[in-house]
Amino acid sequence: MSDTPTYGFDTLQIHAGSAPDPATGARQTPIYQNTGYVFRDADHAAALFNLQEVGFIYSRLTNPTVAVLQERLATLEGGVGAVATSSGHAAQIMALFPLMRPGDNVVVSNKLYGGTVTQFSQTIKRFGWEAKFVDIDDRGAVSRACTKKTKAIFCESIANPGGHVADLESIAKIADRKGIPLIVDNTTATPYLCNPIAHGATLVVHSTTKYISGNGTAMGGVVIDSGKFDWSASDKFPSLSEPEPAYHGLKFHETFGHLAFTFHGIAIGLRDLGMCQSPQNAFLTLLGCETLSLRMERHVANAKKIAEWLENDDRIEHVTYAGLKSSPHARRVKKLYKKGAGALFTFAVKGGYDACVKLVDSVELFSHVANLGDTRSLIIHSASTTHRQLTPEQQEAAGAAANVVRVSIGLEDADDLIRDLDQALSKAVG
Ligand SMILES: *Cc1c(COP(=O)(O)O)cnc(C)c1O
């Protein structure tokens, strides 16, 4: 079931990429808990290793359970191919790896998940890569930050944790003018609420650890390629357009066309960086994926109700939920998020840092956890945890100031969640 563009999202989230197991007829995708695959003969092995034939060699590169997940997520995002990885952070490295050389840079939004800010501002420097942080709403600043050495623009669709909604179409236009890909982290929106490719993104990355698996059980990530970028239009992307010495001079773009990025991700990225997803985690993620739309509808409905309640409470200074009528992003939400603006947001508590710490210590139903996108409701004080490594200025820019807590609204009864926040706020603010 690979070419089925006429099916709707609810159908595709269950069926895309999967078929009854050819060996046993098993209807659910089996967990191929397996590392190596028997070659038919020496010629078959040689053809696989030369990338002349597609098949399974070794699970660091490809695995049948992981392959189903890749096809399912590529389909849900409207891409042509996907590479699953061990985590969302691995997916970000895998997205940049084919594009970047030492001395190159990527222009990134200053409103990003805290772990990504650290990965980009510190760790990638060791590869000789640089991230240039900009206000992604300032088109002039984004444009000016792009130099000859800039190989991509990176942003989040709805930024974690501050709920900033990126104007994807205008950012994509800048990327087009500069001849570079736009990479969008769509973790907090999910493909059910937003398809960045439809708004001009070249590559989409996810931490599937969050809403896509949905139950807080499995780490994972994915890079999805739109298949729309012309890697040979300039000399900027030699890994994709020039002869690859590790494959006897094969040119990925010339040989694999719109699948060049995906083939490179598997044949070079997974092969040599090794950040592959485990089949067990792919299975759990596929299970979660089957109910993604149903869960997102409830996540959104609960988040809206709770955000509205918080907004009207005296103990709260402000609520950043992009789905509120009062949100500065309301117009963008109307255009890009017809089914809702997710279920992750922050609110500022009167009483600052101390009140926030007291609040997370006083909740009973919410869990104090550094995760999001779980069935359970989660709460965290970003400034003392996920965004602790950042300077106060970076915290503020990322929407994680000291007086702010982040909630990931789960699937429980909204009234129970409101009661829990109410009692905890009484203890925290008094
Ligand atoms: C969690 C998260 C990541 C990192 O993903 P991991 O699976 O934890 O490695 C990246 N981006 C966003 C928006 C996230 O929420």
Side-chain angles (χ1 to χ4, degrees), residues 49-50 243-251:
F49 275 93
N50 277 342
E244 170 55 52
Y247 280 103
H248 311 301
L250 172 143
K251 294 181 182 175

Side-chain angles (χ1 to χ4, degrees), residues 87-89 92 113 116 156 160 185 187 207 209-210 219-220 372:
S87 70
H89 266 191
Q92 292 172 184
Y113 167 65
T116 304
E156 292 176 11
N160 172 0
D185 181 340
T187 299
S207 166
T209 313
K210 314 290 170 52
M219 296 298 299
L372 62 97

Side-chain angles (χ1 to χ4, degrees), residues 226-393:
S226 64
K228 290 180 181 164
F229 196 86
D230 181 358
W231 304 108
S232 305
S234 73
D235 58 4
K236 278 180 186 289
F237 304 103
S239 297
L240 293 158
S241 62
E242 296 294 312
E244 170 55 52
Y247 280 103
H248 311 301
L250 172 143
K251 294 181 182 175
F252 274 90
H253 192 210
E254 188 182 278
T255 308
F256 299 111
H258 67 304
L259 284 169
F261 190 92
T262 301
F263 269 85
H264 189 281
I266 292 167
I268 307 279
L270 289 181
R271 188 194 65 176
D272 295 342
L273 300 178
M275 31 179 97
C276 53
Q277 184 162 139
S278 81
Q280 175 79 30
N281 282 357
F283 172 78
L284 290 167
T285 306
L286 280 165
L287 268 191
C289 200
E290 294 187 348
T291 57
L292 181 63
S293 64
L294 302 173
R295 288 185 289 108
M296 291 316 293
E297 278 169 14
R298 175 65 71 86
H299 277 299
V300 164
N302 278 358
K304 199 157 175 287
K305 191 162 178 188
I306 292 164
E308 281 166 1
W309 178 81
L310 284 165
E311 193 177 37
N312 290 314
D313 193 283
D314 297 342
R315 295 162 294 188
I316 304 302
E317 263 164 27
H318 65 261
V319 183
T320 63
Y321 186 50
L324 286 171
K325 283 201 187 78
S326 59
S327 165
H329 304 294
R331 270 188 48 201
R332 284 182 193 170
V333 167
K334 217 167 162 192
K335 183 168 149 207
L336 293 169
Y337 296 94
K338 296 198 166 47
K339 289 178 244 160
L344 182 78
F345 62 88
T346 60
F347 55 91
V349 182
K350 286 182 184 159
Y353 191 99
D354 294 339
C356 289
V357 170
K358 194 103 187 270
L359 175 67
V360 297
D361 278 341
S362 304
V363 287
E364 289 165 8
L365 189 51
F366 276 80
S367 302
H368 183 194
V369 165
N371 188 23
L372 62 97
D374 198 323
T375 44
R376 277 153 283 268
S377 291
L378 312 175
I379 189 165
I380 196 158
H381 181 223
S382 303
S384 61
T385 55
T386 52
H387 289 61
R388 195 182 180 88
Q389 319 304 342
L390 309 189
T391 64
E393 294 73 35

